[in-house]
Amino acid sequence: MSAVQVSTTVNGDAIDFVCQPTETLLDVLRNRLGLIGSKEGCGTGDCGACSVTVDGQLVCSCLVLGAEAEGRKIGTVEGLADGDKLHPLQKQFIDNAALQCGVCTPGFLVAAKALLDRNPNPTEQEIRYALAGNLCRCTGYDKIVRAVNAAARDVRKQQARKKR
Amino acid sequence: MTNIGSDLPRADGWDKVAGKSQYTVDYSESGMLHGCVLRSPVVCGRIVRVDVEAARSMPGVRAVVTATNVGNGRAGMLVRDQTLFADREIRHHGEAIAAVAADTLAQARAARDAIELEAESLPALTTMAQALASDAPLVHPDWESYALNPMAAELRRQGNVAGELIADPDGVDEAFERAHLVVEDEFCVDRQYQAYLEPMSAVARFTDGRCIVRTGSQFPYNIREELAAYLDVRLSDVRVIGQTVGGGFGAKLGCGTEGYAAVLSRAVGGRSVRVVKTRDEDIVTAPVRENAELRIRTALDAEGNMTAREFSCDMDCGAYGLETPTFPSILFHFAAGIYRIGPVRVHARAVYTNTPPTGAFRGVNGPAVYFAVERHMDNIARRLNEDPMAFRARHMLRDGDTLLNGQALADAHIAREACEAVQKSLPAVGARQSGDRLRGVGSATGFWVTNPLPGSVTITVGEDGRLHVLTGANDNGSGAVAMGLTQIVAEAMGVSTGEVIVGLPDTDLSGYDSGSQGSRTTHIVGKAALIAIDDLKTRIFDVARQMLPPGANELELVGGMVRAVGIGDAQVPLAAVFQMANFSNVSLSGSGTYATTPPAFTPGCAVGLTMPSLLTPTYHAHRAEVEVDSVTGNVRLLRYVVAQEVGRAINPDGIMGQIQGGIAQGIGFTLTENLRLVDGRYLERSLEAYRLPLAQDLPRVEVVLLEHPDSEGPFGAKGVAEPPLVFAPAAIANAVSDAVGKPFYKLPITPEDVLFALDT
Ligand code: FES
Ligand code: FES
């Protein structure tokens, strides 16, 4: 098998990489690009720990090939913070103690960001359903749901301020 | 100060939300190879031939190892019954046969698949009944020759019985003869998988003849002990360095991948090797919660008082013991629940079978024993036509009453307080029906313990006055270190938590710790920290006195300053004290070690008792309200209320997280999770099939924290992490039984079970 060359954008940065045609996007991110935030909890699309966005769409990066990133925009947990300034979701996860072991956290953050991008004012039910693809074994989800709810409020405030 | 009882953010939170935390799977070393393990497709058998020649010559392959070339070191938590690889006998599906190290993981896997294994299948003992039959072959024909660890000194073993406990007090038969009523129930529970999100993983290398292993283990010092046994080297020739733990819940107390990484590294001349389990492999080989069968009979007199009990239980060890042989002792302690019953006869066995080994899972054995005890209490109350909580209240232990081991329970009244608290939040109203929906309420109460095993802490003042904390305790995710220990140290040293830096464990540096198990870390390690601080403060104050005006006798630490009490504003910063100490031949560091002193108990209360007493008890009441869909059989939790005694809450939000997470695991164990063995193999082999609860499956848990500071615990704190899981299955199963109007005796309760009960 010959390696393929891929040009893509990751968290806003133009990036070229070479990978095997069978290699998953998750492996490319973790092993070739050093972006270890996305985790492999299963490798079979069951846990959501590897969640990233491809052109704004939430996907399990363990089910996507690296080669499929060609010409796309990839978003990972590493792209959420602006330098040292955490995204409201990240800040609320800390403030609400919405993480324990933290392995699920990057996936939840990416999934929650995708939710807020399309629905800035979700109900608790909508949050729970939007996060149904992400497993957490530690927290029982309640604090995660509260954190997303609080972050949604923060994001709405931010946007209102920008509009003014 | 405000560090205790405050919802301060956890110390490792920033890295975790930024995606920067380094778990073992993220850790690599230069020149690192990748390893993987060939596992037995056979349930029970004999190895005829393992041919690794083809595998060895495949591209990128650096080493292939089997039992023949790694030696036969045996290890185990209690009984050293395990080798890294099956030698001749294969005792369970998934047992390791060989391991491969190669330049890439793909190469390692390809070579593993090229290993030729010829194994003869033998009839397998896949159930406890088969293993206990009088003519059953032995899973371990050489069981008598296995070495025992000190914890196993009292263990009673015989053939396929890996651990047996017998308590036979006087008066049981007489009480049953006199009984007005005897209530008898049989329960069974299935296995439960810990399902931590980070699969087991380790990176090992050899440097200067010593084995150095990185692993996100809950118990680095035990990993070191097991590795030294497997490798047949001195304990101190192994160094285990902790990584951030990606969840464990008991499964990461013993070796999972560490041994394979280590022998592969040794085989390649010491180069680093990383071994990570795939999820499928992790499910098959995790030390899951044991399946068990429990039988209880209780004698009652004409007034409806319990007068005696018989309790027997068989629990499945699987093919190797791990922690399970000690579970009969745990069952013994809780066989009466928190009630006055009279004499209780207990017979409990841990049984070897040809199935994947079981082991420690949060609240070891507790969910099963309390499920049986508290379901049984409901059944008795129903037979007596009495309200289940009133029946419980009538029998509850009072302060100073003794437990089955003769130990006095000084503060049993807290359990009543807990029951009253849940009753207030969620009054039980009796089963109701509306359309297809059946509603019911169920409760459970009792006590649990805090693991007493030793831990140690060293605290050093750095040049800039910050505090460096060295401990062998790892934060398994619970926050016991990142919140509990950090806040305790900050409070006692009069600084903010930002001034406290806790390093990861390292068995070369940190001092012994008994691991994150049994809800012990905050209590034990926190206390060890306070002892260390006593030591440290004396040194700080001795040096500071030379720097403060004469007459500064009484000193205190406030805001990073040493301050003289009562002498205006005379104070010196810790950083300055360090400078002075550094040139006065004083080391500004203090150490402490702590283990709970065991209370008095009655020797001879039972034979085979590996843990004679229960330490630092905590008290609990749970109440669940469920809605059962009589068309689909689905059970939904409407409300869940917990009253939990915690001693003193160091970080209430952190405790809430433990309670919510523990309840979620309890709900999973009771309703959705299922790890079924069919002829010695698991049916569920992926997270999807295993069915962990999802965000939309869970209720909002309402919590009442009861604080009764423990005289020994740091600021009064006791263990908190396990009990939520221990009592949840009983409460939910009681609620479902109440709603359906039929008793449920088996966990998990599946929709099929519910529909079957409704139909009969
Ligand atoms: S690793 Fe991709 S869904 Fe689990
Ligand atoms: S915090 Fe551990 S899995 Fe979610």
Side-chain angles (χ1 to χ4, degrees):
Chain A
M1 265 183 295
S2 54
V4 287
Q5 188 161 358
V6 179
S7 297
T8 185
T9 308
V10 180
N11 299 329
D13 298 333
I15 283 184
D16 292 335
F17 63 82
V18 172
C19 72
Q20 294 299 317
T22 54
E23 213 169 315
T24 64
L25 176 58
L26 177 61
D27 281 344
V28 167
L29 291 170
R30 291 179 50 81
N31 304 336
R32 297 189 184 270
L33 306 183
L35 297 170
I36 57 164
S38 309
K39 301 295 181 207
E40 179 168 320
C42 65
T44 49
D46 301 327
C47 74
C50 64
S51 299
V52 303
T53 53
V54 176
D55 289 345
Q57 283 289 323
L58 184 65
V59 298
C60 293
S61 63
C62 69
L63 298 181
V64 176
L65 291 174
E68 293 178 75
E70 174 68 36
R72 312 282 188 135
K73 288 194 176 65
I74 311 296
T76 74
V77 68
E78 287 90 348
L80 286 187
D82 180 5
D84 262 2
K85 206 171 152 281
L86 295 179
H87 186 275
L89 275 164
Q90 292 171 306
K91 205 175 159 312
Q92 290 295 355
F93 264 59
I94 294 178
D95 290 350
N96 285 277
L99 56 111
Q100 290 181 28
C101 82
V103 174
C104 69
T105 309
F108 271 100
L109 288 167
V110 171
K113 168 88 167 33
L115 166 68
L116 299 189
D117 284 350
R118 80 173 182 269
N119 177 2
N121 196 1
T123 63
E124 176 174 339
Q125 267 312 314
E126 285 169 336
I127 295 173
R128 288 186 183 262
Y129 277 93
L131 300 178
N134 294 73
L135 294 176
C136 174
R137 187 52 150 170
C138 300
T139 65
Y141 304 102
D142 181 65
K143 290 178 180 300
I144 294 176
V145 174
R146 285 172 200 253
V148 174
N149 198 22
R153 216 176 33 230
D154 293 348
V155 170
R156 287 197 304 275
K157 268 193 218 141
Q158 262 181 13
Q159 282 164 351
R161 228 174 288 133
K162 267 187 212 149
K163 275 194 203 128
R164 253 186 273 138
Chain B
M1 281 295 287
T2 51
N3 288 308
I4 302 299
S6 296
D7 294 331
L8 300 176
R10 52 186 302 148
D12 55 4
W14 209 97
D15 269 16
K16 283 181 171 175
V17 299
K20 287 188 175 157
S21 266
Q22 269 216 349
Y23 301 84
T24 317
V25 289
D26 305 317
Y27 175 80
S28 52
E29 293 179 350
S30 53
M32 187 179 79
L33 303 173
H34 298 265
C36 66
V37 178
L38 173 69
R39 296 189 173 276
S40 170
V42 167
V43 169
C44 176
R46 199 162 288 135
I47 297 177
V48 179
R49 190 174 64 94
V50 187
D51 189 342
V52 301
E53 281 323 303
R56 212 163 250 156
S57 54
M58 301 222 349
V61 173
R62 304 289 171 168
V64 184
V65 294
T66 64
T68 20
N69 48 15
V70 299
N72 255 333
R74 287 186 176 276
M77 271 278 180
L78 296 147
V79 179
R80 298 196 174 188
D81 58 3
Q82 212 165 1
T83 52
L84 277 177
F85 297 100
D87 187 358
R88 276 196 343 273
E89 321 292 334
I90 296 172
R91 295 189 171 87
H92 69 88
H93 178 234
E95 182 154 16
I97 305 290
V100 180
D103 293 348
T104 69
L105 187 54
Q107 289 169 333
R109 287 180 176 162
R112 175 196 60 194
D113 296 343
I115 297 174
E116 291 171 39
L117 166 69
E118 199 183 308
E120 173 198 353
S121 267
L122 294 171
L125 305 170
T126 57
T127 65
M128 291 190 280
Q130 289 168 355
L132 291 167
S134 55
D135 58 347
L138 295 183
V139 176
H140 291 272
D142 297 332
W143 65 274
E144 278 172 290
S145 69
Y146 295 158
L148 300 178
N149 290 341
M151 282 271 291
E154 298 296 321
L155 204 61
R156 250 176 87 97
R157 302 182 301 141
Q158 178 66 48
N160 285 339
V161 176
E164 180 173 37
L165 178 130
I166 299 169
D168 196 4
D170 292 339
V172 175
D173 292 328
E174 292 79 349
F176 273 94
E177 273 158 30
R178 280 197 311 271
H180 188 73
L181 172 71
V182 173
V183 179
E184 193 166 344
D185 287 317
E186 250 185 81
F187 299 94
C188 75
V189 299
D190 219 336
R191 297 188 173 200
Q192 187 184 20
Y193 173 46
Q194 290 87 349
Y196 32 84
L197 261 259
E198 179 206 28
M200 290 187 184
S201 43
V203 179
R205 69 168 193 269
F206 275 74
T207 298
D208 297 331
R210 297 175 71 223
C211 177
I212 299 171
V213 176
R214 302 253 180 180
T215 173
S217 166
Q218 295 175 245
F219 192 173
Y221 282 83
N222 181 57
I223 299 295
R224 178 170 74 159
E225 193 172 321
E226 291 188 9
L227 277 181
Y230 281 133
L231 298 171
D232 195 18
V233 298
R234 279 183 71 177
L235 197 63
S236 49
D237 277 336
V238 179
R239 175 181 183 186
V240 178
I241 303 172
Q243 293 285 133
T244 307
V245 186
F249 316 112
K252 293 178 181 170
L253 292 165
C255 277
T257 46
E258 293 84 355
Y260 304 108
V263 288
L264 286 169
S265 171
R266 187 159 70 177
V268 296
R271 265 175 85 171
S272 304
V273 179
R274 180 160 79 201
V275 178
V276 181
K277 283 187 188 176
T278 61
R279 183 54 69 177
D280 167 82
E281 183 184 14
D282 200 275
I283 293 175
V284 172
T285 56
V288 298
R289 190 188 299 290
E290 74 287 358
N291 50 306
E293 291 162 16
L294 311 97
R295 289 162 294 276
I296 313 189
R297 294 174 76 212
T298 300
L300 295 116
D301 65 15
E303 283 78 50
N305 296 315
M306 297 190 283
T307 53
R309 173 172 290 177
E310 283 190 310
F311 197 149
S312 66
C313 175
D314 290 327
M315 25 193 131
D316 194 344
C317 265
Y320 296 98
L322 312 184
E323 294 88 348
T324 311
T326 199
F327 297 172
S329 293
I330 295 171
L331 179 123
F332 164 70
H333 289 299
F334 299 101
I338 191 157
Y339 309 107
R340 285 180 170 174
I341 290 188
V344 179
R345 179 181 285 152
V346 181
H347 184 203
R349 296 179 287 192
V351 182
Y352 280 134
T353 59
N354 292 121
T355 63
T358 63
F361 189 151
R362 189 176 190 176
V364 285
N365 194 248
V369 62
Y370 269 110
F371 165 63
V373 166
E374 290 291 282
R375 281 283 306 110
H376 184 61
M377 289 297 283
D378 264 28
N379 281 355
I380 300 174
R382 202 145 285 133
R383 286 287 291 276
L384 296 175
N385 252 324
E386 197 174 340
D387 171 74
M389 290 318 277
F391 176 66
R392 283 174 172 82
R394 219 151 52 73
H395 288 87
M396 246 182 209
L397 294 179
R398 300 190 178 273
D399 290 359
D401 278 355
T402 54
L403 300 168
L404 298 185
N405 65 342
Q407 171 188 340
L409 203 59
D411 39 16
H413 72 275
I414 306 174
R416 284 173 196 273
E417 196 183 320
C419 289
E420 282 156 20
V422 295
Q423 168 71 22
K424 208 166 129 204
S425 306
L426 173 50
V429 289
R432 287 152 296 152
Q433 179 164 12
S434 84
D436 294 334
R437 316 263 158 160
L438 311 171
R439 286 189 178 188
V441 171
S443 312
T445 183
F447 65 107
W448 194 246
V449 288
T450 311
N451 178 311
L453 296 174
S456 52
V457 172
T458 297
I459 303 177
T460 302
V461 180
E463 296 97 296
D464 61 356
R466 247 167 142 188
L467 303 169
H468 296 269
V469 180
L470 260 182
T471 170
N474 212 356
D475 194 311
N476 61 12
S478 66
V481 173
M483 294 167 161
L485 179 63
T486 306
Q487 289 176 225
I488 287 166
V489 171
E491 178 73 13
M493 289 297 293
V495 294
S496 67
T497 50
E499 294 298 296
V500 179
I501 300 170
V502 188
L504 284 166
D506 179 335
T507 58
D508 268 9
L509 308 172
S510 34
Y512 189 82
D513 184 77
S514 305
S516 71
Q517 55 170 334
S519 313
R520 66 178 278 287
T521 302
T522 302
H523 178 77
I524 297 280
V525 184
K527 175 73 174 193
L530 292 188
I531 296 170
I533 287 169
D534 270 350
D535 178 15
L536 175 59
K537 268 185 169 174
T538 312
R539 293 156 187 263
I540 292 173
F541 290 170
D542 283 351
V543 175
R545 256 182 220 107
Q546 304 164 33
M547 307 164 74
L548 287 163
N553 295 324
E554 198 187 326
L555 304 184
E556 59 181 3
L557 285 167
V558 183
M561 297 283 181
V562 185
R563 207 192 271 165
V565 178
I567 314 189
D569 53 5
Q571 57 181 30
V572 281
L574 269 177
V577 179
F578 170 85
Q579 295 304 340
M580 181 71 169
N582 214 14
F583 289 94
S584 324
N585 304 335
V586 177
S587 128
L588 275 197
S589 109
S591 293
T593 294
Y594 179 71
T596 321
T597 313
F601 66 98
T602 312
C605 57
V607 292
L609 187 57
T610 53
M611 304 174 173
S613 52
L614 296 176
L615 294 101
T616 326
T618 54
Y619 301 89
H620 310 271
H622 286 211
R623 181 163 289 177
E625 183 177 21
V626 299
E627 183 176 84
V628 175
D629 184 325
S630 61
V631 176
T632 62
N634 280 325
V635 177
R636 201 159 64 90
L637 269 301
L638 297 177
R639 286 184 67 189
Y640 201 101
V641 181
V642 177
Q644 173 159 342
E645 195 254 331
V646 298
R648 175 98 177 266
I650 303 294
N651 184 315
D653 223 10
I655 292 174
M656 283 289 277
Q658 288 309 296
I659 294 175
Q660 293 167 333
I663 302 295
Q665 293 179 351
I667 291 171
F669 183 48
T670 312
L671 297 175
T672 66
E673 295 172 31
N674 210 349
L675 191 60
R676 289 169 293 180
L677 275 171
V678 177
D679 299 330
R681 292 185 175 86
Y682 292 131
L683 215 53
E684 284 76 19
R685 300 275 295 270
S686 68
L687 289 177
E688 187 195 18
Y690 181 68
R691 300 212 305 135
L692 293 179
L694 302 174
Q696 78 259 31
D697 300 333
L698 298 175
R700 190 155 264 185
V701 178
E702 301 155 55
V703 179
V704 183
L705 293 185
L706 306 175
E707 294 194 301
H708 292 275
D710 179 56
S711 57
E712 292 299 309
F715 300 102
K718 303 182 186 177
V720 300
E722 292 178 301
L725 173 50
V726 167
F727 296 94
I732 300 163
N734 279 338
V736 177
S737 300
D738 181 52
V740 174
K742 301 266 173 62
F744 285 81
Y745 293 102
K746 152 187 147 339
L747 295 182
I749 300 170
T750 64
E752 296 75 41
D753 295 331
V754 170
L755 293 179
F756 183 80
L758 284 166
D759 277 353
T760 48

